[in-house]
Amino acid sequence: MHKVVSATTNPAKIKAILQAFNEIFGEGSCHIDAVSVESGVPEQPLGNEETRAGARNRVENARLVRPDADFWVAIEAGIDEGSTFSWVVIETREQRGEARSATLPLPAVILERVRAGDALGPVMSHYTGIDEIGRKEGAIGVFTAGKLTRSSVYHQAVILALSPFHNAVYR
C-alpha cells in the first residue's frame, strides 16, 4: 500500500488525490495522510509561476513533516490571465510529476475583488452565500452549474501529474 502525503487538508483536494491514485494504482492501493503546510506564496497566488511555486513549496514542506511517505502531493490554486486554475505537483524520492489543470474564466465582478487583494474563496463565498466554498464545489461548481467541481478538475490534473510514475518511457 502506498503512503501518500497530501500537502493540504482541503476535502475537495483530498478527494481528487484519492480518486486518481485509486484509478491509477488500484482501489485501496493507498493511504492518504493529510497535513497542513505553508505554500510560501500569498493566500491567493497570482500568475502561473507563483502558483506553481506554491505547489512545489507545499510538497517540499510536506516532505519535511512526513519524510517516510512514498508520494507527496500538492495542489495549489491560482489566478492567471483572468482565470482560475491549479498546479499539481507529485514527488517520490526519485522523481516529480507536474500538471496544470483546466482553467475557468472568471466574471469581471469576481476578478475586481481578487485584484483588490481578496482571495477567490472568500469572494465566492460572499457572492454565493456558500460557506467555505473552496472546500466544496468551488467557483468551478458554481459557474459550470455543477457539471464540473473543484475536485473533478483537480482529479484530471492529478491523473496527468501521475503519468511519470506508471509509464516507463518517463524514466
Side-chain angles (χ1 to χ4, degrees):
M1 178 173 290
H2 298 297
K3 183 174 180 186
V4 179
V5 172
S6 164
T8 181
T9 60
N10 184 310
K13 294 178 180 181
I14 294 167
K15 178 181 176 183
I17 294 165
L18 181 61
Q19 183 180 1
F21 270 80
N22 282 339
E23 289 176 14
I24 296 298
F25 298 112
E27 195 70 32
S29 63
C30 72
H31 167 77
I32 295 188
D33 182 12
V35 297
S36 180
V37 294
E38 293 296 317
S39 68
V41 299
E43 179 185 357
Q44 181 57 75
L46 298 175
N48 186 61
E49 291 309 312
E50 187 170 77
T51 306
R52 186 184 222 171
R56 287 176 174 173
N57 292 342
R58 284 186 193 277
V59 163
E60 184 177 320
N61 290 332
R63 287 181 81 144
L64 293 173
V65 173
R66 296 285 192 280
D68 60 335
D70 299 311
F71 291 89
W72 296 270
V73 183
I75 302 173
E76 188 74 20
I79 306 279
D80 190 29
E81 298 183 13
S83 295
T84 184
F85 74 102
S86 68
W87 269 104
V88 174
V89 175
I90 302 173
E91 289 186 5
T92 63
R93 285 173 188 78
E94 297 81 32
Q95 69 188 88
R96 174 190 286 168
E98 297 184 330
R100 184 175 159 150
S101 75
T103 60
L104 170 71
L106 294 169
V109 66
I110 302 296
L111 283 170
E112 284 176 30
R113 300 253 328 256
V114 171
R115 288 183 178 131
D118 294 332
L120 180 59
V123 171
M124 287 302 301
S125 287
H126 175 79
Y127 173 79
T128 63
I130 301 170
D131 190 42
E132 293 191 327
I133 193 169
R135 298 178 68 84
K136 300 171 185 163
E137 67 266 34
I140 292 165
V142 170
F143 294 128
T144 66
K147 302 298 183 245
L148 296 173
T149 63
R150 195 169 196 218
S151 189
S152 73
V153 170
Y154 292 159
H155 167 257
Q156 289 181 337
V158 175
I159 291 280
L160 294 170
L162 278 171
S163 294
F165 301 102
H166 65 95
N167 289 288
V169 71
Y170 282 92
R171 289 182 209 106

